[in-house]
Amino acid sequence: MSSFFSLITFLFLFSFLTSFRASAQDPYFLNHNCPNSTTYSSNSTYFTNLKTLLSSLSSPNASYSTGFQNATVGQAPDRVTGLFLCRGDLSPEVCRNCVAFSVNETLTRCPNQREAVFYYEECILRYSHKNILSTTTTNDGEFILSNPNNISPIQKQINQFTGLVSSNMNQAAIEAANRSRKFSTIKTELTELQTLYGLVQCTPDLSRENCMSCLTSSINRMPLSRIGARQFWPSCNSRYELYAFYNETAIATPPPPPPLRFPESTPPLTSPSLPGKSGNSNVLVVAIVVPIIVAVLLLIAGYCFFAKRAKKTYGTSPALDDDKTT
Ligand SMILES: *[C@@H]1O[C@H](CO)[C@@H](O)[C@H](O)[C@H]1NC(C)=O
Ligand SMILES: *[C@@H]1O[C@H](CO)[C@@H](O)[C@H](O)[C@H]1NC(C)=O
Ligand SMILES: *[C@@H]1O[C@H](CO)[C@@H](O)[C@H](O)[C@H]1NC(C)=O
Ligand SMILES: *[C@@H]1O[C@H](CO)[C@@H](O)[C@H](O)[C@H]1NC(C)=O
Ligand SMILES: *[C@@H]1O[C@H](CO)[C@@H](O)[C@H](O)[C@H]1NC(C)=O
Ligand SMILES: *[C@@H]1O[C@H](CO)[C@@H](O)[C@H](O)[C@H]1NC(C)=O
Ligand SMILES: CC(=O)N[C@H]1CO[C@H](CO)[C@@H](O)[C@@H]1O
């Protein structure tokens, strides 16, 4: 009996820890850009369309497993087009969490702006009154972040560090442009102690040629004299570091397995008003815990039943013996 209760205690602790861990990590905000030259009023059709668009992009059945989705709501001049792009190495759960989080922050970060782009470590969210699909945007919304440390004397010993970074990144760009997901990483050992990690990504609505030229410009605009840097445009982004900043395990398995916990076409199990993955891990926990509890209860019931029967048999046997003797 005591082991039964410790099992139950363990299972409840496990379920608490799982749901805590699932909701603990917030996406990391990097930057946003929303020119205030074009605005809408809060009772306009544009605002209604924008809200529909945002809820569609963050709906539980959005394509988090491919990491990209576009949507268009309404008719010109009130038409809103938007998209999200998740970093290619991230799981559907992390992607969904980031999109839900960024959608939630849009109207406080950019109230009344008709077009905006939000850069997070894990995803990019974008919307506009213009048709932003299948066109490259590299004239605004640029964001550059560089590791504050200059190349150290050790890296200076590496022959033409910047040249190596540039050629590796351009190699990754060729691969990314040629893939349907428009994403690629590269890992090169510069010395025994220094490994270069690079990542490039375009929004997959771009053609091979547009993606290639966007990434080439992006790499050219990165400060290559640092030990790490990244450059973002709404259409493409690139980054290099001397440490593994992306999930190498996820890259090692190129075609991601079909998402089991994120049905693409069936209605969600969890309430759509609770984005994030805690709902799904709770469903999983329930799916594990409930059968175990039922099995344990059945065992106890079975034990009680047979114990009772055994006792009954033992209690009646002397009477039978008595009958025999008399
Ligand atoms: C746009 O923003 C700038 C600086 O944030 C401000 O000076 C300007 O007045 C704003 N324009 C409008 C139309 O709100
Ligand atoms: C929107 O609200 C403003 C006042 O806040 C009002 O003047 C305008 O008529 C409203 N527009 C619509 C379409 O309801
Ligand atoms: C999600 O499902 C709802 C209906 O269940 C549908 O109206 C909506 O278009 C779907 N969204 C996506 C992005 O597939
Ligand atoms: C959305 O924002 C509200 C208030 O800022 C917050 O309570 C809620 O948890 C947020 N939801 C998500 C999914 O981040
Ligand atoms: C691009 O992919 C095609 C197949 O999809 C392949 O034939 C071609 O060699 C690739 N080109 C490069 C430059 O990798
Ligand atoms: C990296 O990816 C693998 C495979 O998708 C996954 O099992 C693992 O949890 C990921 N690691 C991190 C730190 O996200
Ligand atoms: C340009 C582009 O990728 N358009 C896609 C937007 O999303 C719809 C589905 O929601 C696709 O059919 C389009 O191809």
Side-chain angles (χ1 to χ4, degrees):
M1 259 330 196
S2 72
S3 64
F4 170 68
F5 282 113
S6 24
L7 176 69
I8 292 297
T9 313
F10 167 76
L11 288 171
F12 275 110
L13 202 63
F14 174 74
S15 105
F16 270 119
L17 287 175
T18 315
S19 33
F20 175 73
R21 211 177 52 118
S23 53
Q25 283 173 325
D26 280 346
Y28 187 77
F29 176 74
L30 294 170
N31 196 28
H32 70 81
N33 182 276
C34 44
N36 61 4
S37 47
T38 49
T39 57
Y40 60 81
S41 65
S42 38
N43 58 358
S44 64
T45 312
Y46 193 85
F47 186 44
T48 313
N49 290 345
L50 177 59
K51 281 189 287 187
T52 309
L53 176 97
L54 292 176
S55 69
S56 146
L57 288 178
S58 57
S59 79
N61 56 349
S63 54
Y64 303 110
S65 57
T66 63
F68 172 77
Q69 182 151 324
N70 73 70
T72 302
V73 176
Q75 301 297 319
D78 295 313
R79 189 186 61 205
V80 194
T81 305
L83 59 85
F84 69 72
L85 175 70
C86 290
R87 212 177 68 198
D89 60 309
L90 299 175
S91 68
E93 289 90 341
V94 175
C95 179
R96 178 184 174 183
N97 191 39
C98 183
V99 174
F101 191 86
S102 58
V103 159
N104 205 18
E105 291 199 326
T106 54
L107 301 179
T108 47
R109 289 196 190 277
C110 292
N112 303 100
Q113 269 84 309
R114 277 175 177 255
E115 55 182 337
V117 59
F118 306 87
Y119 299 120
Y120 290 79
E121 180 91 40
E122 296 85 0
C123 70
I124 292 170
L125 178 74
R126 189 186 176 197
Y127 54 78
S128 176
H129 58 287
K130 297 177 193 148
N131 182 14
I132 53 171
L133 298 175
S134 306
T135 58
T136 318
T137 306
T138 53
N139 52 349
D140 52 21
E142 182 177 35
F143 174 60
I144 295 176
L145 193 65
S146 58
N147 193 314
N149 298 314
N150 279 321
I151 299 177
S152 72
I154 301 163
Q155 281 124 25
K156 276 191 184 136
Q157 288 169 16
I158 301 165
N159 204 17
Q160 295 169 327
F161 178 81
T162 59
L164 276 173
V165 174
S166 174
S167 61
N168 274 282
M169 294 301 283
N170 281 299
Q171 180 57 40
I174 292 170
E175 285 160 18
N178 209 17
R179 290 179 186 161
S180 61
R181 285 193 71 186
K182 300 286 185 281
F183 166 76
S184 186
T185 58
I186 196 157
K187 179 185 176 185
T188 306
E189 275 189 24
L190 302 178
T191 69
E192 270 181 22
L193 297 173
Q194 302 268 357
T195 305
L196 174 74
Y197 296 85
L199 182 153
V200 293
Q201 188 165 21
C202 298
T203 57
D205 57 316
L206 294 191
S207 67
R208 186 178 173 278
E209 292 74 20
N210 284 350
C211 176
M212 190 61 211
S213 70
C214 185
L215 285 177
T216 305
S217 308
S218 170
I219 293 161
N220 281 340
R221 291 190 58 82
M222 270 201 301
L224 299 181
S225 57
R226 305 281 168 162
I227 63 169
R230 41 185 130 171
Q231 196 275 357
F232 285 89
W233 269 315
S235 292
C236 71
N237 62 81
S238 52
R239 179 181 184 187
Y240 73 91
E241 304 285 352
L242 292 176
Y243 64 94
F245 62 93
Y246 56 85
N247 186 341
E248 288 185 84
T249 321
I251 305 299
T253 53
L260 294 174
R261 284 199 259 152
F262 285 89
E264 294 286 324
S265 50
T266 51
L269 284 168
T270 49
S271 157
S273 63
L274 287 169
K277 55 184 181 167
S278 57
N280 278 282
S281 35
N282 285 342
V283 168
L284 186 71
V285 168
V286 166
I288 295 167
V289 171
V290 167
I292 292 177
I293 292 177
V294 168
V296 169
L297 288 178
L298 279 176
L299 269 176
I300 292 168
Y303 173 80
C304 291
F305 177 73
F306 283 110
K308 207 174 168 190
R309 262 184 68 146
K311 205 175 166 189
K312 213 172 175 181
T313 316
Y314 176 77
T316 51
S317 51
L320 288 170
D321 287 348
D322 282 354
D323 281 350
K324 269 180 199 169
T325 48
T326 48

